Amino acid sequence: MIDNIGDKCCGCYACYNSCPKKCISMVAKDDGFVYPLIDKKRCISCGLCDKVCPILNKPVEYLLNQAYGANSDKDRNDSSSGGIYPVVARWIINNNGVVYGAAFDKGYQHVMHIRATCFDDLKKTYTSKYMQSHINNIFQLVKEDLESGIDVLFSGTPCQVAGLRSFLKKEYDKLLCVDFICHGVPSEKIWKLYTDKLKHEYNHKIDAVNFRYKENGWNPSLLLLLLGENRIIENQDQNIYYKAFLNDLCLRKSCYNCNFKSVNGFSDITLADFWGVEDICPELDDGKGTSLVIVNSEKGQRIFDIIKDDLKYERVDLAKSISRNPARIRSADKNYRRKKYFKIINSENFENLTYKYTRKTLDVQLYKLVLKIFRKIKRTFLK
């Protein structure tokens, strides 16, 4: 029962979209993440919410597992890594299809999934948004488009793709799902605290955000924020929001024990930064960004074969590729400071508290060492 899932809930909105009485609300808890709340007075106990929950009903994994290193010179500047997503998405739009993807709202406070039918809207879904997006009623719109015979591309996190597939209950030939190798989703609450601090400091609203700005190339990751005439550029080691994110301090609880980590995929195509490209296929490494493309299904392979003439690509070994991108198969490490962080964040200075809780102190190093040993023992035991 979704009432009993608790921290396992990934916030995919499948239950919200399935309820015939609209008696499920998605309500934010103290950590900023939304969870389903059922109005018992209106609930008719139909059980649809349980049937579509991807935690209770995990979709079948795709097993093709063909991996490529690839990039598109035309699209890399507007993308987080190699520019593959824009090529796929444009092909869908050019064939009278629709694209569903994550975009910032006008105030850059929330990330929402939108329905894109033109290139102006499509561009809003480019690049990474390091925050969990709100799906709202998007799954219902996807189903309506598919039932009308329209080609649909849905892009999202692995759990969002699993949620959509579970909601739809059957495979659609006209649906193409694209996800990415996900480190975990940070809290919208922490993003708001961070941006509120900036707006107060610069006395201006946020005008633009780019989490993967490429002024100096692809690596390291740069965060660009525009506030009027003020231009803030910081790398991931300097930026306080990045610190909270990459130290696993502000992730959704389900991200620490993700149900959707597997060598196999739940989407047709999985995209990621190709870390280690300089060793695995150095001819693709020019410092501008290279994508790891994992084709999980036959449908995904058909689409890749259609667009590959617009790419520079090379087939690569999957095992070698994901060895540098372990988030494909491994959940984020649980940060034992998380609970206290969220408990006192409202009464403490955001920046000072985040610096304090992301310092590499001895207890943190010992904690990570214990986790590393535990994972090694677990792998040995499973063998």
Side-chain angles (χ1 to χ4, degrees):
M1 300 287 290
I2 65 166
D3 275 351
N4 301 320
I5 288 177
D7 294 345
K8 293 180 182 178
C9 172
C10 60
C12 72
Y13 281 76
C15 58
Y16 173 89
N17 278 265
S18 71
C19 183
K21 292 296 183 180
K22 302 189 186 311
C23 64
I24 298 178
S25 304
M26 301 300 288
V27 179
K29 291 192 175 182
D30 291 343
D31 61 3
F33 292 103
V34 297
Y35 291 81
L37 179 65
I38 301 173
D39 183 345
K40 298 295 187 180
K41 293 180 180 178
R42 295 164 56 199
C43 177
I44 59 174
S45 300
C46 65
L48 284 176
C49 55
D50 297 326
K51 293 175 182 176
V52 302
C53 174
I55 304 298
L56 299 174
N57 308 276
K58 188 186 292 188
V60 174
E61 298 175 19
Y62 298 124
L63 306 175
L64 186 60
N65 287 337
Q66 300 292 340
Y68 302 87
N71 60 55
S72 165
D73 277 333
K74 178 180 178 180
D75 297 287
R76 283 192 290 179
N77 286 339
D78 297 324
S79 302
S80 297
S81 47
I84 309 305
Y85 169 76
V87 179
V88 178
R90 273 201 312 272
W91 182 85
I92 295 288
I93 296 290
N94 285 332
N95 284 274
N96 300 314
V98 299
V99 174
Y100 291 89
F104 273 109
D105 65 358
K106 289 183 179 180
Y108 292 93
Q109 291 296 287
H110 310 282
V111 177
M112 326 289 290
H113 258 66
I114 64 170
R115 181 180 187 270
T117 58
C118 64
F119 294 118
D120 285 342
D121 285 341
L122 183 64
K123 288 179 181 178
K124 298 175 185 176
T125 69
Y126 292 2
T127 73
S128 301
K129 284 91 180 173
Y130 293 133
M131 203 185 336
Q132 185 165 33
S133 63
H134 295 276
I135 295 290
N136 297 322
N137 69 333
I138 288 295
F139 289 176
Q140 296 174 15
L141 299 180
V142 169
K143 185 173 183 179
E144 290 173 10
D145 284 333
L146 292 170
E147 294 293 337
S148 299
I150 299 173
D151 286 305
V152 173
L153 166 61
F154 178 87
S155 66
T157 62
C159 60
Q160 288 172 334
V161 169
L164 173 62
R165 290 183 57 206
S166 187
F167 167 79
L168 293 173
K169 300 189 190 72
K170 68 175 185 178
E171 297 291 324
Y172 286 85
D173 190 56
K174 286 186 170 291
L175 173 64
L176 180 73
C177 291
V178 174
D179 66 1
F180 52 90
I181 294 181
C182 180
H183 176 83
V185 288
S187 169
E188 183 179 278
K189 178 176 183 175
I190 302 304
W191 174 250
K192 186 177 187 305
L193 287 169
Y194 170 63
T195 53
D196 282 351
K197 166 187 163 297
L198 292 177
K199 287 187 287 186
H200 176 75
E201 183 179 342
Y202 291 96
N203 194 29
H204 202 283
K205 64 182 178 64
I206 307 291
D207 292 319
V209 176
N210 187 340
F211 279 104
R212 300 293 299 278
Y213 184 53
K214 292 183 176 180
E215 181 179 62
N216 299 322
W218 176 43
N219 193 21
S221 297
L222 297 177
L223 172 59
L224 165 70
L225 296 107
L226 300 181
L227 298 89
E229 296 180 356
N230 302 294
R231 192 167 181 259
I232 302 168
I233 300 175
E234 294 180 331
N235 70 35
Q236 63 186 40
D237 296 323
Q238 299 171 315
N239 182 263
I240 195 66
Y241 182 75
Y242 255 123
K243 281 181 177 290
F245 169 38
L246 295 178
N247 281 275
D248 305 323
L249 187 60
C250 61
L251 305 185
R252 190 180 182 96
K253 288 181 179 179
S254 61
C255 296
Y256 302 112
N257 189 22
C258 178
N259 258 37
F260 308 102
K261 297 296 183 183
S262 174
V263 172
N264 306 313
F266 295 92
S267 67
D268 299 293
I269 296 174
T270 297
L271 302 176
D273 296 295
F274 198 161
W275 305 127
V277 62
E278 66 278 6
D279 297 322
I280 297 171
C281 48
E283 60 277 10
L284 292 177
D285 181 31
D286 58 5
K288 298 178 182 179
T290 305
S291 292
L292 174 62
V293 183
I294 305 175
V295 179
N296 302 306
S297 72
E298 297 292 344
K299 186 195 306 179
Q301 189 66 59
R302 288 202 310 269
I303 300 302
F304 185 80
D305 288 341
I306 290 170
I307 67 166
K308 67 184 182 182
D309 288 342
D310 296 326
L311 309 175
K312 184 178 180 181
Y313 70 95
E314 180 179 331
R315 189 167 173 178
V316 295
D317 180 77
L318 177 64
K320 284 185 180 179
S321 303
I322 63 175
S323 68
R324 303 292 186 91
N325 222 323
R328 167 79 170 187
I329 57 175
R330 195 178 79 204
S331 298
D333 291 335
K334 187 172 183 179
N335 191 318
Y336 75 96
R337 292 169 163 177
R338 181 193 187 279
K339 184 177 180 179
K340 189 173 181 181
Y341 180 71
F342 277 108
K343 185 176 181 179
I344 64 176
I345 191 72
N346 291 326
S347 59
E348 296 280 333
N349 177 283
F350 161 73
E351 189 168 11
N352 290 344
L353 184 65
T354 304
Y355 273 123
K356 177 182 177 181
Y357 277 24
T358 56
R359 286 203 307 264
K360 305 297 184 186
T361 55
L362 179 60
D363 59 330
V364 172
Q365 294 179 53
L366 288 172
Y367 179 75
K368 291 196 170 187
L369 178 61
V370 170
L371 280 178
K372 185 176 181 180
I373 294 171
F374 174 76
R375 281 198 300 265
K376 187 173 182 180
I377 293 172
K378 186 178 178 181
R379 285 196 302 268
T380 304
F381 177 76
L382 289 175
K383 287 180 180 179

